[in-house]
Structures are given as C-alpha cells and as structure tokens.
Amino acid sequence: MGIESILAERGNRYGEFKGHALITQDIKRAMAKSKNWNTISDDKKECLEMIAHKIGRALNGDPEYTDNFTDIIGYAKLVEDELKKVESQKAGAEWQGDTHIEKSDR
C-alpha cells in the first residue's frame, strides 16, 4: 500500500488532517495553560496529549471508531499503573501488575 492510499484511508477514518490538528491543538493549548501543566511528569503529559489526539480524531472523523476509545483507556491505564506502583511503594507494599502485595504477606 502506497502513502497516497494510506493517507486516503486515514482521511476517511479521521477526517481532514487540518481539522484534526485544529481540534487537537486547541485541547493541548488549554492543557498547557492549566495551573498544573508545568508540574506534572512527562509520562502524564504524554498521556494527556495522546488522549487529546484521540479525542481530536473522534471529533473530526468517525466518532464510532472503537479504537480511539480503546487507545484512550490504554494511555490512562499506563499512568494509573504507575501511580498505583508509586502509592504502593510509599505504603510499604510491592507492586505486581494490577495488585500490590503487602511486604508482611510474603
């Protein structure tokens, strides 16, 4: 599949790139103006920016495309897992995937 075919396929799914860019950049500008933007870690910023990207695709293109929303869940889950890991470490527990094990339980 050539680049023209790929771009046509993406355009059909997500709408015109300029429209998507406008929506997404408006969301990102709003996030950057928030009081906490400069205090959060890069992984949280990237998560929020990728979610903004997926929101932009849904609003500019096919809002029924499940993959956009699955990706939003995925990005949020990555940050959630990291936050839970840090919380568990602060509480004296060991993080193992979706659960934590109290050190006294081992």
Side-chain angles (χ1 to χ4, degrees):
M1 181 184 287
I3 191 64
E4 296 301 324
S5 297
I6 292 169
L7 292 175
E9 180 182 308
R10 297 278 165 43
N12 289 335
R13 170 75 67 198
Y14 304 119
E16 282 190 37
F17 180 69
K18 280 189 151 192
H20 168 255
L22 177 64
I23 293 166
T24 302
Q25 291 302 310
D26 279 348
I27 296 168
K28 288 181 179 183
R29 278 188 282 274
M31 292 189 308
K33 290 178 184 177
S34 72
K35 69 175 186 170
N36 290 327
W37 186 253
N38 291 321
T39 65
I40 64 174
S41 60
D42 287 343
D43 63 323
K44 290 178 195 73
K45 285 181 182 176
E46 186 65 16
C47 169
L48 293 170
E49 288 179 345
M50 290 306 298
I51 289 172
H53 178 78
K54 296 299 180 172
I55 291 170
R57 282 184 161 185
L59 292 175
N60 191 64
D62 180 0
E64 304 301 319
Y65 187 49
T66 305
D67 194 56
N68 288 327
F69 297 95
T70 302
D71 287 348
I72 289 170
I73 294 166
Y75 289 117
K77 178 74 171 130
L78 291 170
V79 171
E80 178 192 40
D81 286 349
E82 184 62 26
L83 290 170
K84 285 182 176 180
K85 178 181 172 184
V86 170
E87 288 170 2
S88 290
Q89 289 170 344
K90 285 180 182 178
E94 183 176 311
W95 177 252
Q96 292 186 352
D98 286 336
T99 60
H100 73 276
I101 298 171
E102 297 298 326
K103 289 184 179 178
S104 60
D105 292 345
R106 288 191 271 157

